[in-house]
Amino acid sequence: MRKYPWTFAVLATALLSGCAAQPQKVTAPQPLELNTFARKWSTEVPMGHGAIIAVHVREDMVFAYSRDGTSSVFDRNSGRMLHTETIAGGTDVLHEPVLLKETIVYPTLTALQIYDRKSGQFNRTAKLPFAVRTNAVGAKNMLFLGADYPGGGRVVALDLTREYVPVRWELMFPGSNVSAAPAYFNDSVYTAAGDGTVTAIAADTREPLWPLPNGVFQTGGPVQGALVAEESGVYVSSVDSKLYCLNRTSGKIKWQYIAGSELRKGPIVSKDLVFQIVPGTGLVAIDKLEGVSKTHPPAYFRKHRWVVENATQFLAEDDKFVYLRRADDAILAANKIDGTIAFTSKRKDFRAFGINTKDGTVFAGTKDGRLMAIASVTQPGRVGEVVLNEPPAAEAEHIALATGQ
């Protein structure tokens, strides 16, 4: 573990360009152009770790995964590097990180690698008697994930206070797999399996919570994408071509969206919209709370508000725009009301993006190991240093020193 109190080229705002090979040109502070993207901060993973292959946004931290199994952790607001750790087993499988109160947990194929959240100091390895299949969710001292066992998949609850045998309970799905990451909300765990069953169980005791036949909701096809659970419901995308919003306490359908093709990725749920990748169609936006009032009952069959055909990933959202990844890795700003594209980034050299459902900042990594926080310029009067092209690392450090960053 190494700590880095500095950050390369933390420039408050800088216009993004797609011509990274030309020399860097910096002007004096000047008004930034409206309806474009600006750089809030920019930094690099430590030298030698190479391309950023995944970006994960968690609370006040941003994680940049490198191909050699290294996780570089940055402060979300400033871009300051907090620490970096090379995870044992991370070159084979490195699932998304789980933030708990005092620790960061990195699930690999057969173990949990546990680090101190503040310092990045390695804590311990918790070996597992199974292969980890899905990303994990966590709360308090517990982790919940899908696992592969002979004869079928299981959802497993892991208690991190148990040093030697962390398994507290298991939920079996005989003859089926569990490839959908579970969801956690208010001491309840929501799970799904390859046979289309969806369940709700108590996080501590594994007791079923839904008063349905056998305690399960049954979709018409496998569930492969991650579930989402929040106050408004449990969101499940199925290969049966439907996106379901289920009542958290009863398991009954609140509403459903019929996509017309198999849904193999889970939805992204923001404050008032649900986003779903539909193969052959694009990214659709669905009103989460459409028609929910005493005078206008909820619509059981939802229609999408809009669709962006060449969008492949939701990135972030603010009051005016939804920010999306285009098929060629450019960033799109789609009007939140009707989905029309307001503006597009000039740069297309990003290779990994994080998903941010809390504000409009886009977090993106490049193949040369640079991580950026990107914001849109939608109001006049914003001033910053215009950077026409992305600098190499050595020049970036020089610029940072010259500007006092």
Side-chain angles (χ1 to χ4, degrees):
M1 187 280 296
R2 291 175 288 175
K3 296 184 68 176
Y4 292 82
W6 37 259
T7 301
F8 284 128
V10 183
L11 301 179
T13 50
L15 294 181
L16 302 181
S17 170
C19 304
Q22 299 179 12
Q24 175 78 9
K25 296 180 180 180
V26 180
T27 69
Q30 59 183 270
L32 294 173
E33 181 182 351
L34 287 178
N35 291 341
T36 188
F37 291 99
R39 192 171 64 200
K40 295 177 65 175
W41 53 256
S42 176
T43 186
E44 291 181 340
V45 300
M47 187 176 299
H49 294 297
I52 296 175
I53 61 172
V55 176
H56 304 296
V57 184
R58 296 290 186 275
E59 298 180 15
D60 58 345
M61 297 178 175
V62 181
F63 296 77
Y65 281 8
S66 299
R67 194 172 301 279
D68 65 352
T70 296
S71 172
S72 300
V73 188
F74 300 87
D75 178 82
R76 175 187 179 128
N77 294 319
S78 68
R80 179 174 62 91
M81 180 173 281
L82 303 175
H83 42 80
T84 183
E85 39 264 4
T86 299
I87 312 301
T91 55
D92 297 323
V93 175
L94 185 56
H95 290 282
E96 296 181 8
V98 179
L99 280 187
L100 299 178
K101 183 177 181 180
E102 297 180 349
T103 58
I104 301 171
V105 183
Y106 296 102
T108 63
L109 182 62
T110 58
L112 305 177
Q113 305 295 348
I114 304 170
Y115 288 76
D116 182 84
R117 174 169 173 158
K118 184 175 181 180
S119 68
Q121 183 70 39
F122 175 72
N123 185 324
R124 65 187 177 92
T125 297
K127 294 184 178 181
L128 303 174
F130 52 78
V132 177
R133 179 70 174 266
T134 74
N135 289 321
V137 293
K140 303 175 184 177
N141 60 308
M142 298 288 293
L143 245 64
F144 308 92
L145 49 78
D148 286 333
Y149 276 84
R154 304 183 190 184
V155 172
V156 183
L158 302 169
D159 188 341
L160 298 187
T161 64
R162 299 182 177 185
E163 186 172 355
Y164 298 107
V165 183
V167 177
R168 178 183 289 188
W169 55 253
E170 297 174 337
L171 181 64
M172 299 177 63
F173 295 89
S176 183
N177 59 43
V178 177
S179 57
Y184 175 92
F185 187 79
N186 278 5
D187 296 324
S188 301
V189 179
Y190 302 90
T191 73
D195 60 4
T197 59
V198 184
T199 64
I201 52 181
D204 289 335
T205 64
R206 202 190 62 177
E207 292 298 317
L209 299 177
W210 285 344
L212 296 171
N214 300 317
V216 304
F217 173 80
Q218 187 69 50
T219 72
V223 179
Q224 299 178 347
L227 279 64
V228 178
E230 55 152 52
E231 188 65 40
S232 63
V234 181
Y235 296 85
V236 183
S237 299
S238 174
V239 174
D240 70 4
S241 81
K242 295 179 182 179
L243 165 63
Y244 300 90
C245 176
L246 305 179
N247 184 291
R248 288 191 298 105
T249 56
S250 70
K252 294 182 178 180
I253 299 175
K254 294 179 66 175
W255 58 262
Q256 58 184 307
Y257 170 77
I258 301 177
S261 59
E262 297 179 348
L263 301 181
R264 298 185 181 275
K265 293 185 178 181
I268 302 297
V269 182
S270 69
K271 181 174 64 175
D272 52 3
L273 291 171
V274 181
F275 303 94
Q276 177 68 54
I277 294 293
V278 179
T281 299
L283 184 142
V284 302
I286 306 159
D287 286 288
K288 184 169 73 173
L289 302 175
E290 179 187 8
V292 180
S293 70
K294 293 181 179 179
T295 57
H296 296 84
Y300 184 78
F301 291 102
R302 292 286 165 90
K303 297 181 179 180
H304 57 254
R305 180 189 290 190
W306 48 258
V307 58
V308 177
E309 294 181 357
N310 56 354
T312 61
Q313 185 181 0
F314 167 90
L315 302 179
E317 176 192 58
D318 58 28
D319 292 337
K320 295 182 179 180
F321 299 108
V322 177
Y323 303 103
L324 307 172
R325 179 183 191 173
R326 198 167 65 184
D328 63 357
D329 294 326
I331 304 171
L332 304 175
N335 186 290
K336 194 171 180 179
I337 301 300
D338 59 13
T340 56
I341 304 304
F343 50 96
T344 305
S345 70
K346 298 177 181 178
R347 293 186 60 162
K348 301 176 184 178
D349 62 329
F350 301 114
R351 294 297 177 266
F353 292 86
I355 296 174
N356 174 19
T357 59
K358 293 189 176 181
D359 58 40
T361 303
V362 173
F363 298 94
T366 65
K367 63 181 180 180
D368 61 355
R370 180 171 294 276
L371 179 68
M372 302 178 69
I374 302 161
S376 62
V377 181
T378 58
Q379 296 181 353
R382 187 173 176 182
V383 176
E385 292 180 341
V386 178
V387 178
L388 300 180
N389 300 293
E390 191 69 9
E395 189 172 353
E397 185 175 7
H398 171 74
I399 294 170
L401 294 173
T403 58
Q405 299 294 331

